[in-house]
Amino acid sequence: MQKKDLGLAVLIIVVGAVVYMRNPLFLSPINLGNTANLIGLFGLFAIGQGFVIMTGGIDLSVGSVIALLGVLFVDMVGRFGVPWPLAASITIGLGALMGLAHGVLITRFKMQPFVVTLCGLLIYRGIARGYTGEATAGFPFGASFPQLEWLTIGRTFGVPHSFVAMLLIAALMWLVLHRSVFGRHLYAVGRNEEVARFSGIKTGAVITAAYVICSVLAAIAAIYFAMFTKSVQPSSHGNFYELYAIAAAVLGGFSLRGGEGSIIGVVLGVVLLQELQNLVNLLGIPSSLNFAVMGTVILLGVLADQQFAAYRTKKRAAQALERLQGEGGGR
């Protein structure tokens, strides 16, 4: 665990203790179970956003991807009777194609990630609303899918399966980012894409893969959210989810400049965000302030990242100067 991750874990404990002292219901089994469920749901796509931010990019289309794929998944299973394993495979496949399209536009056509994914945000949301005719997509009355419901919204010993799924995906993505050649290439591209290219790394393929991972995890989250809400309103479903993902990644130590971050950090970032949301609810703070809390968190996270970066730069410069002075004195 990195120093940033350890500091974030301590902050989570401190905030949790403060909330508990103000309202003991914070540690009630029901509240912990519901919070764990939300951590799982939001953690699924926040991890994917971390991969994109690692490259120095950003994906603003996550919320719209979740809305569009959620609509299609509900329609396939509920209206057309497609077996849910096939519907889930199609949904994840469509997510991969979306990520591939983003990656190709950014690497081959040299478009800015902000522009590409902002257009994706608008396009996917528009398609979802047009496809349903602004109506809510939902399952037929009385429809039941026991296996799918157990897998997505079920609980074992009180632990939500969405939380378990997030932990499993986090473990897999930890191996990918921190213990694979691809992960090392991802760090290299994020730190300096040009140097990475001259080192023989296929930077275009690495960046494209990051966007594919992000959209695939958003597709998985779309399935879980669709089963959690039981219906999808395309005009509002997934609104601002990309901000949650960015905030969690930034809090978790991912630098918006690229080249820094850890999977443990982004998971802890999601935990802290949901803890803050829980604080707002339990302390009776108006829910309209949720976005103010989110904006403040992102601002403080970016500010802290910049200050740490400036401190590290000064420290490296001082160490280099000391070495040069030592070598000069030795002569």
Side-chain angles (χ1 to χ4, degrees), residues 52-57 186-187 189-191 254-260:
V52 168
I53 291 177
M54 178 65 74
T55 68
L186 198 61
Y187 273 101
V189 169
R191 286 169 183 151
F254 279 86
S255 171
L256 293 175
R257 294 183 301 274
E260 293 181 31

Side-chain angles (χ1 to χ4, degrees), residues 259-281:
E260 293 181 31
S262 72
I263 297 300
I264 293 176
V266 72
V267 171
L268 292 175
V270 174
V271 173
L272 179 58
L273 284 178
Q274 289 304 323
E275 190 177 52
L276 292 173
Q277 294 291 316
N278 208 238
L279 179 150
V280 169
N281 295 330

Side-chain angles (χ1 to χ4, degrees), residues 41-240:
L41 292 172
F42 284 92
L44 287 170
F45 62 85
I47 292 170
Q49 186 73 249
F51 274 81
V52 168
I53 291 177
M54 178 65 74
T55 68
I58 198 166
D59 192 341
L60 299 176
S61 67
V62 168
S64 295
V65 168
I66 289 174
L68 175 57
L69 295 183
V71 164
L72 296 178
F73 179 76
V74 168
D75 233 22
M76 282 189 286
V77 174
R79 188 154 71 107
F80 296 110
V82 177
W84 72 261
L86 177 58
S89 299
I90 293 172
T91 301
I92 293 171
L94 289 173
L97 289 176
M98 291 174 177
L100 180 63
H102 296 165
V104 169
L105 288 171
I106 291 165
T107 59
R108 289 289 184 90
F109 294 90
K110 306 302 179 185
M111 295 181 69
Q112 291 295 322
F114 181 90
V115 174
V116 171
T117 58
L118 177 61
C119 292
L121 179 154
L122 298 172
I123 292 169
Y124 304 144
R125 180 75 62 182
I127 292 174
R129 296 175 70 170
Y131 176 76
T132 61
E134 295 288 1
T136 299
F139 295 105
F141 179 76
S144 178
F145 311 94
Q147 292 179 328
L148 178 59
E149 291 171 354
W150 180 87
L151 184 65
T152 54
I153 60 176
R155 300 191 180 195
T156 299
F157 301 113
V159 179
H161 291 170
S162 59
F163 184 74
V164 175
M166 187 270 292
L167 291 180
L168 292 175
I169 288 176
L172 176 60
M173 293 298 103
W174 184 88
L175 291 173
V176 170
L177 185 60
H178 302 292
R179 289 294 183 271
S180 72
V181 174
F182 170 73
R184 291 195 292 272
H185 288 178
L186 198 61
Y187 273 101
V189 169
R191 286 169 183 151
N192 193 315
E193 184 180 347
E194 188 174 356
V195 170
R197 186 184 302 112
F198 285 128
S199 300
I201 296 174
K202 296 180 179 178
T203 57
V206 171
I207 293 172
T208 300
Y211 281 91
V212 170
I213 290 172
C214 182
S215 293
V216 164
L217 293 185
I220 295 173
I223 296 171
Y224 275 82
F225 270 107
M227 295 305 299
F228 175 62
T229 59
K230 290 296 186 180
S231 63
V232 178
Q233 172 51 257
S235 63
S236 60
H237 189 78
N239 272 352
F240 300 107

Side-chain angles (χ1 to χ4, degrees), residues 323-331:
R323 285 196 297 269
L324 288 175
Q325 290 175 343
E327 292 173 0
R331 295 195 186 96

